[in-house]
Amino acid sequence: MNPQFSDSGEYTCAVMNPKENNAKHSATITLKVVVELEKVDNTLTLIILAVVGGVIGLFILIMVIKKLVLFILKKTREKKECLVSSSANDNTENGLAGSKAEQKSAPKA
């Protein structure tokens, strides 16, 4: 079948069903015959999608770097706190200034 441009228009299909007491049904179909499909230039759409994807990717990369830097800073601070607290414990155990012995109150009578 080779439709021509002149075949464009509305067509009505009428049917009759003997099992429904010869009830008649019809439907209208619109046929549009085109010579050639239009080619759409998607360059602008692809550029917009690439820019949006790049921005989203950059945002995710920045968030991952931020999380990594905060994790490293937290680990570094924990190591420094351990060094400070262990040296303070050594001084109090040796009876130096700020020791536990000076902090005890006098016994009650």
Side-chain angles (χ1 to χ4, degrees):
M1 183 173 181
N2 216 2
Q4 301 296 320
F5 187 72
S6 60
D7 294 333
S8 296
E10 289 188 357
Y11 291 87
T12 303
C13 179
V15 294
M16 201 167 63
N17 188 354
K19 292 184 179 181
E20 293 180 349
N21 293 328
N22 293 326
K24 296 180 181 180
H25 301 282
S26 64
T28 302
I29 299 170
T30 303
L31 176 66
K32 293 182 182 178
V33 178
V34 294
V35 177
E36 188 177 319
L37 290 175
E38 288 184 33
K39 294 183 180 179
V40 179
D41 185 16
N42 290 329
T43 306
L44 182 62
T45 305
L46 293 175
I47 291 171
I48 292 172
L49 287 175
V51 169
V52 170
V55 168
I56 291 172
L58 184 63
F59 179 73
I60 291 172
L61 180 66
I62 289 171
M63 296 306 290
V64 167
I65 291 172
K66 177 186 171 190
K67 192 74 170 175
L68 182 65
V69 167
L70 290 176
F71 176 77
I72 292 171
L73 288 175
K74 183 179 176 184
K75 289 294 181 182
T76 306
R77 286 182 186 155
E78 286 177 1
K79 287 180 183 177
K80 287 181 182 178
E81 288 175 3
C82 289
L83 292 174
V84 170
S85 62
S86 66
S87 63
N89 287 340
D90 291 342
N91 286 342
T92 56
E93 290 172 2
N94 293 332
L96 297 175
S99 68
K100 294 178 185 174
E102 291 177 1
Q103 294 175 0
K104 291 184 182 177
S105 58
K108 295 182 182 178

